Amino acid sequence: MKAGIIGLPSAGKTTIFNVLTRGKAAAGPAAGRKLDPNVGVVKVPDPRLNFLSSKFNPKKTTYATVEFVDVHGLVGAKGQDLALAPVRTVEALVHVVRWFQDESVPHSDGTVDPERDKRNLDYELMLADIASIEKRMERLEKDLKKIKNAALEKELAYLQQAKQWLESEKPLREMEVSDEEKKLVKGFAFLSEKPMLYVDNIGEDQLDRLRRPHAEVPLRAGTAQTTICGKLEAEMAELPPEELRSFLSDYGLSESGAERLIQTTYRLLGLISFFTVGEEECRAWTIIRGMNAQQAAGVIHTDLADHFIRAEVCHYDDFVKYGTMQALKEKGLLRLEGKEYRVKDGDIITVRHSG
Ligand SMILES: Nc1nc2c(ncn2[C@@H]2O[C@H](COP(=O)(O)OP(=O)(O)OP(=O)(O)O)[C@@H](O)[C@H]2O)c(=O)[nH]1
Ligand SMILES: [Mg+2]
């Protein structure tokens, strides 16, 4: 699963990307001229997996991961196409919104105005979608003049509807689409259709925003919001873990914003984790909410799905409560489930297979 970090120039995208990936990609205005995006794989922190590892003491602990792509700032109509290309293939967008005030970092629109920036960038995404729709419609109309084709007509009708929707300044993620229509337009990778996480990048003098719930504008469907202080997090990323806690408490904070950002992205993508445990490895596996036991087995290995017999399932919360697998068995909380069992976030699973 991939998330793309977007935002206006110097909003702090690369700074936050480095915090997430513990990377060292060059930040600052000069870096913005580089067109290649930064790409990094990020572990999804999970206290449940830490706990399981402490119990099973495995040789290896493997966390779920999300990939982040950091593109340079969106500047002017000509640059946009270039900058947006790498985010067409991601499953979610992370929009870093500049909140921090710092005269040494100029804003492309002169002043710091987060609501305006959000609106403008959302608008750019919708314009980009309108452009791809128009291009496709032109082609379709030409073809339909030559031959009659029901599938193409349906596609055209859908695109007309989508275009109207976008022209009323609403993103495609808010438009209801039937499964059939979804299939028709799958290849388009519309930008305003992707789930969106707004990340308010605040300055060190705005930390009180972290302690207050976000209240400016109610969240719209398919979006989430989180607040982070990029600069402070960058300093935190340099600290040894034992110093991190006192650093946080010096600022009156209880957790790092980077962890929250990663977890929010994971949830926004509709992802959940199940675990496998043992002496060799304790591992969190990523699935889409709603997947069944056989599909989940296939995420571990396609062979496990093909030769699936049953899944032995218990839940993390019960494991914490009773402490051992044996105790769970005695309580009847370690069950055998069939292919169609809907896997829950936090299930601990052993796949029984023939092969
Ligand atoms: N004061 C302050 N400065 C920040 C903060 N976050 C980022 N910066 C600074 O803002 C400048 C731009 O940050 P980048 O992370 O390069 O921004 P970007 O969005 O990647 O910029 P482009 O890729 O050029 O579009 C750098 O000099 C950062 O040090 C913050 O929270 N507070
Ligand atoms: Mg950058």
Side-chain angles (χ1 to χ4, degrees):
M1 294 290 171
K2 242 195 215 177
I5 303 176
I6 57 171
L8 296 180
S10 301
K13 298 178 294 296
T14 303
T15 303
I16 288 175
F17 172 83
N18 283 336
V19 167
L20 296 174
T21 57
R22 308 224 153 211
K24 298 263 179 290
R33 276 180 237 126
K34 178 171 117 12
L35 293 184
D36 285 343
N38 301 308
V39 182
V41 174
V42 174
K43 272 200 292 195
V44 181
D46 191 336
R48 299 172 300 179
L49 184 60
N50 301 344
F51 179 79
L52 290 172
S53 255
S54 75
K55 286 282 177 184
F56 287 89
N57 217 0
K59 290 192 189 127
K60 202 170 146 202
T61 302
T62 311
Y63 290 80
T65 57
V66 176
E67 196 175 325
F68 283 90
V69 182
D70 163 41
V71 300
H72 65 91
L74 305 174
V75 248
K78 203 159 162 272
Q80 268 154 33
D81 259 9
L82 275 174
L84 287 173
V87 290
R88 289 209 179 264
T89 54
V90 302
E91 278 91 9
L93 297 173
V94 174
H95 178 182
V96 173
V97 186
R98 169 153 177 189
W99 275 79
F100 68 87
Q101 302 272 1
D102 185 340
E103 301 214 327
S104 70
V105 182
H107 188 294
S108 53
D109 286 316
T111 53
V112 174
D113 181 345
E115 291 308 328
R116 173 202 60 203
D117 292 350
K118 269 158 73 169
R119 234 182 3 254
N120 284 352
L121 203 135
D122 283 344
Y123 196 61
E124 293 303 337
L125 299 180
M126 293 189 263
L127 281 180
D129 285 346
I130 291 178
S132 24
I133 286 177
E134 281 174 345
K135 216 159 118 196
R136 176 68 186 153
M137 276 171 71
E138 216 173 281
R139 174 90 246 165
L140 279 174
E141 277 160 0
K142 243 187 222 159
D143 288 351
L144 280 168
K145 269 189 198 135
K146 284 183 234 149
I147 39 155
K148 237 179 117 56
N149 176 308
L152 294 186
E153 271 165 18
K154 259 190 208 148
E155 187 183 336
L156 185 61
Y158 168 80
L159 290 176
Q160 271 159 346
Q161 192 196 345
K163 185 170 172 233
Q164 260 179 14
W165 186 269
L166 288 163
E167 282 166 352
S168 67
E169 298 188 19
K170 285 184 285 192
L172 287 175
R173 74 178 81 86
E174 290 175 12
M175 190 171 109
E176 259 184 65
V177 188
S178 70
D179 287 346
E180 193 191 356
E181 286 167 335
K182 238 182 238 165
K183 260 187 224 145
L184 279 175
V185 295
K186 211 171 162 203
F188 285 102
F190 291 127
L191 293 164
S192 72
E193 197 175 41
K194 298 179 194 294
M196 170 85 91
L197 172 64
Y198 297 102
V199 177
D200 295 348
N201 185 20
I202 55 170
E204 285 127 299
D205 51 346
Q206 298 167 322
L207 289 177
D208 57 327
R209 270 185 61 80
L210 283 173
R211 298 173 206 114
R212 252 189 295 134
H214 171 83
E216 279 84 13
V217 180
L219 282 177
R220 298 171 69 147
T223 72
Q225 186 276 340
T226 189
T227 304
I228 195 170
C229 176
K231 205 155 189 183
L232 202 63
E233 296 280 339
E235 287 170 30
M236 281 189 223
E238 303 282 325
L239 289 178
E242 61 276 12
E243 279 173 37
L244 183 62
R245 197 161 295 276
S246 69
F247 185 89
L248 282 168
S249 74
D250 283 353
Y251 282 96
L253 306 171
S254 58
E255 52 169 1
S256 101
E259 292 198 356
R260 206 175 45 240
L261 197 167
I262 299 165
Q263 284 161 342
T264 315
T265 307
Y266 200 69
R267 271 199 305 277
L268 183 70
L269 284 163
L271 303 177
I272 60 173
S273 299
F274 72 90
F275 304 107
T276 50
V277 293
E279 285 169 9
E280 280 300 312
E281 186 184 32
C282 284
R283 180 161 181 169
W285 300 88
T286 302
I287 59 169
I288 297 166
R289 189 180 291 282
M291 275 190 176
N292 68 28
Q294 189 174 28
Q295 291 167 319
V299 171
I300 301 175
H301 201 288
T302 43
D303 282 353
L304 289 188
D306 294 344
H307 303 286
F308 182 94
I309 300 175
R310 281 189 186 279
E312 218 172 60
V313 184
C314 63
H315 195 270
Y316 172 80
D317 293 342
D318 292 326
F319 181 76
V320 172
K321 203 162 155 195
Y322 295 104
T324 64
M325 288 294 177
Q326 190 53 37
L328 288 178
K329 207 172 211 164
E330 283 157 17
K331 295 269 168 206
L333 292 168
L334 187 65
R335 317 154 331 252
L336 281 178
E337 300 280 2
K339 286 179 185 172
E340 295 303 325
Y341 169 74
R342 196 167 173 230
V343 175
K344 292 196 195 65
D345 188 41
D347 274 346
I348 302 172
I349 294 184
T350 310
V351 178
R352 291 196 185 168
H353 56 94
S354 62

